[in-house]
Amino acid sequence: MTIQVVLCDDHTILRDGLRNLLNSEDDLEVIGEAGDGKQAIELVERLQPDVVIMDINMPELSGVEAVERLIAKHPKLRILILTMFGQEEYLFRTMQAGACGYLLKDSPVSDVIQAIRTVMKGGSVLHPELTDKLFASFREKEKPEGEKLSPREHEVLTTLVKGLSNKEIAERLFISETTVKLHISNIYRKLGVKSRSQAIMHAVKEKLIVI
C-alpha cells in the first residue's frame, strides 16, 4: 500500500527536496503541497491524505492552529510535525491536539521516512532531543495518587510510550490486536484522553511509566 502524503511548509526549496526524496521510496507518494496553514486544511479536505507533514511557523495560519483544526474534524488523520522549533510549548500543544510525531529539521531524511511509516502504523515519534527535554521538564513532579490502570494496561501504556504499533504490541505481549485495542480504549477512558499522543503525553507528564 502506498502512503499518500501532503507536505505543509512555507519554504519551497525544502518542499521540493523532501518531495523528491519521499517519492523515491516505493511506498510513499507526495500528493499535495501547501505553503501555509489555510492551504493545508483545504488540501486535506480535497485530497484526503494518509499522513500530513506540518511545519510550525507558517503564514496565514500557523502549523499549531492547523493541527488543532484538522484533528478536530479528522481525528484519525496522522500528522507529523517537522520544524526547526523545539520549544516545549509547541511540542505540548501540537501533541495534545493530536499530532502523532514531532521531529526537528536537523533530523536525517531516513528518520523522517521511518517516522512516516511509524505514524501510519499507529505509532508515535519524537525527536531524541525533545524526548530528553520532555522527561526533564517533568522530572521533579511527583507521581499522582490513585492510579487505576491494571498491570496489563500499564504494560500496554509503556509500549505506547515506546512508539509501538498495535500489531507490535500484540506480538510483544502475546495477545491479539483486538485485545490491544480494548486495553488502549480502557487506558484512554481512565486517563481522560482521546488519542494515542495524548495518552503518551499524560503518561510522561504524570510519571505513570519509567523508561
Side-chain angles (χ1 to χ4, degrees), residues 28-42:
L28 303 178
E29 179 187 7
V30 175
I31 61 172
E33 300 176 38
D36 61 59
K38 285 187 177 180
Q39 290 180 2
I41 292 174
E42 293 170 358

Side-chain angles (χ1 to χ4, degrees), residues 35-41 54-67 69:
D36 61 59
K38 285 187 177 180
Q39 290 180 2
I41 292 174
M54 183 79 70
D55 189 15
I56 291 292
N57 187 24
M58 293 191 295
E60 298 294 334
L61 189 70
S62 74
V64 176
E65 294 172 299
V67 170
R69 296 188 189 186

Side-chain angles (χ1 to χ4, degrees), residues 182-197:
L182 178 60
H183 285 314
I184 291 176
S185 177
N186 288 335
I187 290 169
Y188 287 178
R189 175 176 54 80
K190 291 181 179 181
L191 298 186
V193 300
K194 297 181 180 180
S195 71
R196 208 178 194 95
S197 56

Side-chain angles (χ1 to χ4, degrees), residues 50-203:
D50 300 308
V51 176
V52 175
I53 297 180
M54 183 79 70
D55 189 15
I56 291 292
N57 187 24
M58 293 191 295
E60 298 294 334
L61 189 70
S62 74
V64 176
E65 294 172 299
V67 170
E68 291 174 336
R69 296 188 189 186
L70 285 170
I71 294 298
K73 192 168 184 180
H74 307 279
K76 294 185 178 180
L77 181 65
R78 318 304 291 176
I79 299 180
L80 175 65
I81 303 298
L82 182 62
T83 181
M84 61 184 295
F85 296 101
Q87 290 93 329
E88 292 173 14
E89 59 181 297
Y90 296 128
L91 170 63
F92 294 160
R93 188 172 168 187
T94 53
M95 296 298 279
Q96 287 172 346
C100 304
Y102 200 112
L103 294 179
L104 299 182
K105 287 183 177 178
D106 64 359
S107 302
V109 173
S110 59
D111 286 0
V112 177
I113 291 172
Q114 185 56 48
I116 295 171
R117 293 167 178 155
T118 296
V119 299
M120 186 61 189
K121 292 178 181 178
S124 299
V125 179
L126 277 182
H127 190 283
E129 177 184 316
L130 299 179
T131 302
D132 294 340
K133 185 180 293 187
L134 186 63
F135 278 96
S137 67
F138 297 114
R139 194 166 290 140
E140 301 304 318
K141 291 184 177 290
E142 296 182 357
K143 184 176 180 180
E145 298 294 331
E147 204 284 295
K148 298 180 181 179
L149 295 181
S150 69
R152 178 59 93 182
E153 289 165 353
H154 192 274
E155 284 184 297
V156 172
L157 181 59
T158 299
T159 60
L160 290 182
V161 173
K162 291 180 178 179
L164 274 63
S165 67
N166 287 358
K167 181 179 179 180
E168 291 169 331
I169 295 172
E171 292 173 350
R172 175 167 295 195
L173 300 182
F174 301 103
I175 56 180
S176 69
E177 287 190 59
T178 299
T179 301
V180 171
K181 292 178 182 178
L182 178 60
H183 285 314
I184 291 176
S185 177
N186 288 335
I187 290 169
Y188 287 178
R189 175 176 54 80
K190 291 181 179 181
L191 298 186
V193 300
K194 297 181 180 180
S195 71
R196 208 178 194 95
S197 56
Q198 289 178 6
I200 293 171
M201 292 291 293
H202 184 91

Side-chain angles (χ1 to χ4, degrees), residues 22-34:
L22 297 185
N23 283 340
S24 69
E25 298 292 317
D26 293 337
D27 60 336
L28 303 178
E29 179 187 7
V30 175
I31 61 172
E33 300 176 38

